[in-house]
Amino acid sequence: MPSALSSTVEGLYHAHHAWLTSWLRRRLGCPQSAADLAQDTYVRMLQAREAPQLVEPRAFLATVAKRVLCNHFRRQELERAYLEALAQVPENVAPSEEQKAIIFETLLALDRLLDDLPPLIKRTFLLAQVDGLGQAEIARELGISLATVKRYLNKAALRCYFAL
């Protein structure tokens, strides 16, 4: 027996899929990406815990799709930065294609994990973990106290710990 959520999503899909795909196509300029992100929008809704009470279904779909679209753009930006960093690595020590894929998926997971943190905490964590800066260097770089750096690193570490 279908749940209320899947019935709601199925109804939204049948009634508004063409509209949502068109809405995304106007923003992306690519019909294939629009179709993919429309599907991702409905998958995101299926992953929700409960069926929403909808007064304006298209406004709701647009809101969910905007989040999916933001994640898409963030992923593209992260991938671009990763590929730029890889271009700087000498060929003889460059990771294999499999290792590149694993590293990129790990970067995406880390980005999602740290997504809800305030930007300065996230930047502090990345400076320590990715750039390898020490706490005093981070404090100077960001113009914050050493105690604040320690507090931010603890918050980020707790987020990672509780995600496991």
Side-chain angles (χ1 to χ4, degrees):
M1 184 159 107
S3 71
L5 177 59
S6 64
S7 296
T8 300
V9 174
E10 182 180 4
L12 285 171
Y13 185 89
H14 289 298
H16 302 287
H17 181 263
W19 171 84
L20 180 62
T21 304
S22 174
W23 186 87
L24 285 164
R25 190 179 308 120
R26 284 191 304 273
R27 279 147 185 79
L28 292 166
C30 175
Q32 293 83 8
S33 292
D36 288 345
L37 293 180
Q39 292 302 110
D40 289 348
T41 299
Y42 288 104
V43 168
R44 169 88 46 99
M45 291 169 49
L46 283 170
Q47 293 170 336
R49 297 183 195 269
E50 56 188 58
Q53 299 298 318
L54 300 178
V55 175
E56 296 290 334
R58 287 188 175 179
F60 174 75
L61 285 170
T63 299
V64 175
K66 284 176 188 175
R67 291 180 187 140
V68 169
L69 197 55
C70 285
N71 287 340
H72 170 74
F73 289 136
R74 279 183 38 198
R75 180 186 172 103
Q76 282 185 327
E77 179 61 26
L78 186 59
E79 186 172 21
R80 184 196 59 71
Y82 176 57
L83 292 174
E84 283 178 8
L86 279 178
Q88 305 300 316
V89 175
E91 237 180 86
N92 61 336
V93 294
S96 69
E97 290 304 314
E98 181 181 2
Q99 290 170 324
K100 287 178 189 176
I102 291 169
I103 292 167
F104 184 62
E105 287 303 315
T106 303
L107 286 172
L108 287 173
L110 183 60
D111 185 59
R112 282 189 301 273
L113 181 69
L114 300 175
D115 187 38
D116 293 336
L117 289 175
L120 196 54
I121 295 176
K122 186 175 179 178
R123 177 128 171 84
T124 301
F125 181 78
L126 292 174
L127 285 172
Q129 298 301 315
V130 176
D131 295 343
L133 297 183
Q135 293 179 1
E137 293 170 299
I138 295 169
R140 278 192 301 279
E141 170 90 15
L142 299 178
I144 57 179
S145 71
L146 187 56
T148 300
V149 169
K150 290 177 182 180
R151 191 171 58 254
Y152 285 178
L153 290 175
N154 283 335
K155 284 183 182 183
L158 284 172
R159 171 68 58 93
C160 293
Y161 177 77
F162 286 113
L164 299 174

